[in-house]
Amino acid sequence: MMPTLLVYTVTSLVLFLLGRHCYCRENRLLATHQPALSFFSWEVLLSIAVFVLVFGLRFNTGNDYEMYMNRVVPQSSDDVYVRQDFECGFDSVNMLFYNLHIHYFAFFCFWTWVQACFLYYALNNRKYLMPWVPVLLILGMFSFGWLTFIRQWVVAMAFVAAIPLIEKRRFRPYLLFVLLASTIHRSALLLLLFYLLGGVPQAITIRRSFFFAIIALCALLSVKPFWLDVLPAIEPLLSKCGFPNYGGIIARLLAKPVVGFGLTPTFVCKLVIASVMVYFYPMIKALRPADRLYSLYFYIAFIGICYIILVNNSPVLLERPAVFTFICIIVCCAYVLDYLWHARRWLLLALFLSINVSYYGIVAVKYYLSPQLLNGDRVFYHFMHIF
């Protein structure tokens, strides 16, 4: 566990410093009426390189790692690639790496590079978020799922870069994006629903009490997850959305443990993070009045955080449909940290950052003490032996 914490903490610190330097350098340029930094600034390129090197070198980390690796490693030089049950876009990349006999290290580096490029492109006009987003991605509540569900996270990173299309109400380009993304993971078709949020007027004011009430309702409903009884019946629909066999898998999981109310530390973290996002929402809008995307990020993140609170006492597989919202939750938490930094509320900043990071620490200790849980050893960082 300690090597994992060391690698992730050092990587987060490096990316934080690069993001902070990029933001401060751009501010100095703008103060002298010079153009803003482009996407190809050395800080951004170096940050992407760090992402690719560190996370491309991960070996057997995540429950799906071995499955992806076996799909791109030929057993002999005469092997011919056989089409898999992946979507056509992802399967075509698999076939390319397979037929060229490229080391699987390059395969994982490629998909890490794709994700990092989309992420930093999305943050290019919001460099004040660059120091925080990588830290929350690597050490936050979604760290263990990131790069485990490669296809969905590739789509999620592309989605956060495509959100301006929703704000600008450009349906045709957004539809094209969704169709292309669905060739990586079919569940990308669900992203069409988020286009409706672009119709919410920017000037609309929703009382924070309404959002708090929704959070409380989701927490109460999570006590008795009645929806689990219908999952096997909607198996065909789940399969069409890119989640095959989920009904049967969840039915088998429910046959073992008893599902009850779990006021666990991680559940408390989710509630706190959701509440903090809501509490600081009007203050962040006042700090960044020109940021027209923040409200969209917030609405998408709020839907996502409420959903994972709702399914808290359900098998973790049920969080998969909400993966596309996870990156927006990370971005909204980064907005909160940016606000607290500017407001010089250092104690609150340290506390909120600690809550995000503690989620990772709690889960890491849990799997370290009980490695039999979901192949617990696979949540930790293992260095790849390239040669």
Side-chain angles (χ1 to χ4, degrees):
M1 183 176 72
M2 292 309 297
T4 300
L5 294 175
L6 179 62
V7 170
Y8 288 0
T9 302
V10 171
T11 303
S12 299
L13 180 60
V14 169
L15 293 172
F16 174 85
L17 293 175
L18 286 171
R20 184 67 187 169
H21 188 276
C22 186
Y23 170 59
C24 292
R25 187 160 74 95
E26 181 173 83
N27 280 348
R28 290 194 297 269
L29 291 174
L30 294 176
T32 57
H33 306 289
Q34 297 184 58
L37 292 175
S38 74
F39 172 75
F40 299 100
S41 66
W42 68 265
E43 295 96 338
V44 170
L45 296 180
L46 184 55
S47 296
I48 293 173
V50 170
F51 261 111
V52 171
L53 181 62
V54 173
F55 296 102
L57 279 174
R58 292 202 302 183
F59 176 75
N60 204 23
T61 303
N63 291 325
D64 292 347
Y65 185 97
E66 189 175 355
M67 179 267 292
Y68 284 121
M69 181 183 71
N70 290 335
R71 299 294 179 93
V72 295
V73 177
Q75 300 302 312
S76 69
S77 58
D78 299 326
D79 277 356
V80 177
Y81 185 78
V82 178
R83 286 282 180 178
Q84 308 291 338
D85 55 352
F86 291 134
E87 290 77 3
C88 62
F90 190 84
D91 200 48
S92 297
V93 175
N94 280 7
M95 183 170 63
L96 177 64
F97 279 89
Y98 187 98
N99 290 337
L100 293 177
H101 295 266
I102 300 175
H103 196 281
Y104 59 87
F105 163 70
F107 172 80
F108 289 105
C109 282
F110 171 76
W111 286 116
T112 306
W113 173 77
V114 170
Q115 293 184 64
C117 285
F118 278 130
L119 177 61
Y120 276 92
Y121 179 79
L123 300 178
N124 189 51
N125 293 326
R126 291 161 182 81
K127 292 187 174 67
Y128 41 86
L129 301 179
M130 277 190 182
W132 304 111
V133 170
V135 176
L136 296 171
L137 178 64
I138 297 169
L139 292 176
M141 62 190 296
F142 304 115
S143 175
F144 290 114
W146 180 57
L147 287 183
T148 295
F149 313 130
I150 292 180
R151 290 175 295 153
Q152 274 193 283
W153 271 98
V154 167
V155 175
M157 295 298 191
F159 172 56
V160 77
I163 285 178
L165 297 177
I166 299 178
E167 190 273 325
K168 295 176 182 177
R169 310 301 292 157
R170 300 183 61 189
F171 179 71
R172 290 182 181 178
Y174 185 73
L175 176 62
L176 178 61
F177 154 73
V178 170
L179 293 177
L180 289 174
S182 67
T183 68
I184 303 298
H185 200 281
R186 277 174 291 172
S187 62
L189 295 173
L190 297 173
L191 295 176
L192 285 173
L193 298 175
F194 291 120
Y195 189 80
L196 301 175
L197 295 176
V200 178
Q202 287 285 329
I204 191 172
T205 301
I206 303 176
R207 296 178 66 88
R208 284 181 294 185
S209 57
F210 172 80
F211 293 116
F212 285 129
I214 297 296
I215 295 171
L217 178 63
C218 290
L220 290 173
L221 290 176
S222 72
V223 175
K224 184 66 175 178
F226 55 86
W227 50 84
L228 295 177
D229 297 331
V230 304
L231 284 177
I234 60 172
E235 179 75 50
L237 177 61
L238 293 173
S239 296
K240 289 181 180 180
C241 291
F243 307 107
N245 305 319
Y246 268 45
I249 293 172
I250 291 171
R252 290 194 296 273
L253 289 173
L254 292 176
K256 298 178 181 179
V258 177
V259 178
F261 183 65
L263 192 61
T264 60
T266 53
F267 183 55
V268 173
C269 286
K270 294 173 186 176
L271 290 175
V272 172
I273 289 171
S275 301
V276 169
M277 281 170 42
V278 169
Y279 181 79
F280 285 105
Y281 173 60
M283 302 163 193
I284 295 170
K285 286 189 70 175
L287 175 67
R288 304 289 182 187
D291 191 339
R292 298 179 59 84
L293 291 186
Y294 173 60
S295 292
L296 269 177
Y297 289 138
F298 175 81
Y299 293 142
I300 296 170
F302 184 75
I303 292 170
I305 195 79
C306 286
Y307 176 80
I308 62 176
I309 289 172
L310 186 67
V311 300
N312 179 71
N313 291 309
S314 308
V316 71
L317 285 173
L318 275 185
E319 292 186 2
R320 289 286 295 272
V323 165
F324 304 129
T325 68
F326 291 175
I327 185 61
C328 290
I329 296 173
I330 291 172
V331 169
C332 283
C333 288
Y335 272 104
V336 172
L337 292 171
D338 171 66
Y339 170 80
L340 294 174
W341 181 285
H342 277 82
R344 299 183 179 276
R345 301 173 72 171
W346 309 120
L347 182 58
L348 284 178
L349 187 148
L351 182 60
F352 185 62
L353 184 60
S354 298
I355 290 171
N356 279 272
V357 174
S358 67
Y359 188 100
Y360 171 90
I362 292 167
V363 177
V365 170
K366 172 184 173 182
Y367 283 115
Y368 180 75
L369 297 177
S370 305
Q372 73 277 8
L373 296 174
L374 294 175
N375 300 317
D377 187 55
R378 292 191 177 183
V379 305
F380 300 119
Y381 191 96
H382 303 282
F383 286 99
M384 182 182 294
H385 304 287
I386 303 176
F387 304 106

